[in-house]
Amino acid sequence: MDGEVRHLVGLLLGTEEDWPRAFEHLTAGLGAIPDGTGRRHTFATERLTIEPFSLRSKPRTDLVIDRLAYWYYHPREWLKKVALMDDVYVLNSPFTFQAMEKHAAYCAMMRLGLKVPETVLVPYKNPVDHDKYAYTTQRYNQPFDLDAIAAQIGYPLYMKPYDGGGWRGVSRVGNADELHSAYNSSGEMLMHLQASVDYDVFTRALSIGAETMVMRFDPAAPMHERYRVEYDFLGPETGAEVIAISRVVNAFFRWEFNSCEMLVKGREVYPIDYANACPDVALTSLHYYFPWAIKALVKWTVFCLATGRRARLDTDTRAYFEISDQAGLDYRQKLDRYAALADAHFAAAEYYDFCAAHLADLDQRVLDWASGPEFDRLIVDTVRATYPTGEHDRFIEHFRGLTGLWVRDETARLSA
Ligand SMILES: Nc1ncnc2c1ncn2[C@@H]1O[C@H](COP(=O)(O)OP(=O)(O)OP(=O)(O)O)[C@@H](O)[C@H]1O
Ligand SMILES: [Mg+2]
């Protein structure tokens, strides 16, 4: 089958300008990519706009990278329509995220035997603003002893919304006074109480399709210093475990663009936050890792479209539960089996073969871009749009330094 197949990639964006510009630039330079069957694939991008649509209209896009629909219903419903009716490939599918907030993700991973810290869901502090609900609360809500629950979990603990994100409503609770004050101010937010993990290392793993980057993270640092540039900060076994957990979480829920936070104490890995519909990929926070992230997004997009990968809107929980329910398997053995399911879901072997065969020059092209003027302009423009004027010079140098370090490391890697 000869011929050229054109693909249009839609970007559904919020306020960000950095990664879309990078993605558009790299995609525009892809040229025609053969797929081994005689066909050649070309790629264009378009920023999607919000407008009325007929449910029967045909979309022009073949794949959408979504950064918006988690918060806004109109684009979300459009995504559902194009996923259901037109087989548009969506990173991430709104079907997988709408029902899967932190709470559901905790439940599923506990069922798989992962070491999610002890977590309790408590009823709303204030009844939600609805006549019938107030009546129901009055009539059916059981009184409960918040102090006793907290004492059972142990102080310090974390109180956080069941569906949180961006630290909204998160507090570290050290004693009974703080417990009551946090609960009283939770209002209509539905809260978890969670045992705190006294960790040695905080890791954040960003997964894009079949690839995962594990980064050391410092949640207490200012935004531009949270991701630390460190290598081998976990032993090989724990490092592999962190990667396996990230992939299993993502394959289980069919998430293809997600970050997973895990706290590591000794050799134990505790996942605490892994349902991020729009994971952080800002240049000003990822810095060193930014070129990797954009390259992975481009590669996964090309792989999905050129190989005709079909999106899965359903999950396959039973395959995982059949493993988790086997009494004879220990944690490690289960994790290995889940990881095999995850590799199969992401077609990991095919993905790496495809990249080696058809995208072999992309590493060098991304390196040239990251060391060239286009990338430097991106740094300058992003800093100017993000920080107050007096801080521009300092931050431009800061991000030039960190991304320059990536350029050095990547140059060494490619010439090795
Ligand atoms: N069980 C825990 N043990 C130790 N620290 C925790 C725990 N839960 C949360 N934290 C701390 O609180 C922070 C925010 O919690 P969490 O990640 O669950 O909320 P979030 O709103 O999703 O935040 P973000 O969107 O920034 O990831 C974590 O980054 C971590 O520093
Ligand atoms: Mg978090």
Side-chain angles (χ1 to χ4, degrees):
M1 246 208 305
D2 287 345
E4 184 179 304
V5 191
R6 291 168 189 231
H7 303 281
L8 182 61
V9 179
L11 308 181
L12 201 44
L13 302 173
T15 55
E16 64 253 77
E17 194 55 44
D18 51 355
W19 80 263
R21 211 166 112 183
F23 184 88
E24 287 160 350
H25 178 82
L26 290 178
T27 306
L30 279 173
I33 310 243
D35 66 4
T37 70
R39 284 180 311 181
R40 293 158 72 78
H41 299 261
T42 58
F43 300 85
T45 55
E46 182 175 302
R47 297 191 184 196
L48 300 175
T49 52
I50 297 168
E51 55 204 279
F53 61 88
S54 159
L55 276 60
R56 289 200 176 81
S57 63
K58 286 287 160 211
R60 293 179 302 117
T61 45
D62 305 296
L63 181 148
V64 175
I65 302 177
D66 166 44
R67 307 281 299 170
L68 186 65
Y70 188 66
W71 292 279
Y72 297 115
Y73 292 166
H74 186 280
R76 184 192 290 179
E77 296 313 309
W78 180 79
L79 283 180
K80 289 186 195 163
K81 168 247 174 319
V82 299
L84 277 174
M85 297 180 69
D86 311 298
D87 276 329
V88 172
Y89 201 100
V90 180
L91 271 59
N92 291 296
S93 158
F95 291 105
T96 63
F97 260 105
Q98 212 169 348
M100 300 303 169
E101 33 8 65
K102 272 202 175 92
H103 178 79
Y106 285 152
C107 296
M109 293 306 115
M110 283 183 191
R111 167 101 193 241
L112 297 197
L114 300 190
K115 297 165 188 164
V116 179
E118 178 59 11
T119 307
V120 175
L121 185 71
V122 292
Y124 290 112
K125 167 64 187 169
N126 300 332
V128 290
D129 185 16
H130 188 286
D131 289 348
K132 288 186 177 163
Y133 192 74
Y135 174 83
T136 304
T137 311
Q138 223 169 19
R139 177 122 195 238
Y140 296 110
N141 267 32
Q142 288 279 13
F144 65 95
D145 184 347
L146 189 63
D147 292 283
I149 296 170
Q152 184 106 46
I153 293 173
Y155 292 108
L157 55 83
Y158 277 82
M159 188 181 296
K160 48 187 185 178
Y162 86 110
D163 62 344
W167 285 64
R168 173 178 55 85
V170 179
S171 45
R172 185 173 196 270
V173 169
N175 53 48
D177 283 348
E178 290 172 14
L179 175 72
H180 287 279
S181 111
Y183 186 56
N184 289 341
S185 53
S186 68
E188 291 182 10
M189 277 188 291
L190 191 57
M191 299 305 257
H192 280 140
L193 307 186
Q194 184 171 76
S196 68
V197 179
D198 171 27
Y199 56 86
D200 305 320
V201 181
F202 192 124
T203 67
R204 213 179 224 203
L206 179 59
S207 290
I208 297 172
E211 291 197 42
T212 299
M213 177 67 74
V214 179
M215 297 164 282
R216 184 160 194 176
F217 193 71
D218 179 359
M223 211 54 156
H224 62 280
E225 285 173 352
R226 285 198 188 159
Y227 290 100
R228 309 227 306 240
V229 181
E230 271 186 48
Y231 320 87
D232 305 327
F233 54 90
L234 300 171
E237 235 177 80
T238 309
E241 182 177 340
V242 163
I243 291 176
I245 290 174
S246 313
R247 293 196 178 145
V248 168
V249 166
N250 291 322
F252 184 92
F253 289 111
R254 310 294 191 220
W255 296 332
E256 306 218 329
F257 187 16
N258 184 36
S259 62
C260 181
E261 294 178 356
M262 284 156 280
L263 306 179
V264 180
K265 173 78 183 164
R267 299 179 68 175
E268 306 284 313
V269 181
Y270 301 93
I272 58 145
D273 178 20
Y274 39 88
N276 294 298
C278 296
D280 177 16
V281 283
L283 172 58
T284 50
S285 56
L286 281 190
H287 51 74
Y288 178 93
Y289 301 99
F290 183 80
W292 167 81
I294 305 306
K295 181 164 58 174
L297 259 182
V298 170
K299 282 158 74 181
W300 185 246
T301 298
V302 168
F303 171 73
C304 291
L305 291 176
T307 62
R309 179 175 164 88
R310 285 299 177 102
R312 287 282 301 270
L313 302 182
D314 57 331
T315 52
D316 189 14
T317 53
R318 188 51 52 193
Y320 289 84
F321 293 160
E322 272 164 11
I323 298 168
S324 70
D325 293 351
Q326 285 182 46
L329 297 178
D330 66 17
Y331 170 78
R332 269 261 138 233
Q333 292 167 319
K334 287 180 184 177
L335 192 57
D336 286 346
R337 287 172 205 210
Y338 304 142
L341 291 178
D343 281 348
H345 170 68
F346 284 114
E350 293 89 327
Y351 168 77
Y352 285 109
D353 287 349
F354 179 91
C355 293
H358 306 299
L359 290 171
D361 63 339
L362 192 61
D363 281 339
Q364 187 59 47
R365 297 229 320 276
V366 171
L367 180 56
D368 294 342
W369 163 71
S371 41
E374 168 73 23
F375 190 79
D376 196 64
R377 265 197 301 280
L378 185 66
I379 293 178
V380 172
D381 292 347
T382 305
V383 167
R384 288 192 179 145
T386 311
Y387 298 99
T389 315
E391 311 241 45
H392 288 176
D393 291 348
R394 161 177 163 234
F395 277 116
I396 288 169
E397 284 319 306
H398 178 77
F399 294 117
R400 275 180 182 153
L402 285 162
T403 53
L405 182 59
W406 183 83
V407 166
R408 277 208 297 285
D409 287 349
E410 182 70 357
T411 304
R413 188 182 74 88
L414 294 187
S415 56

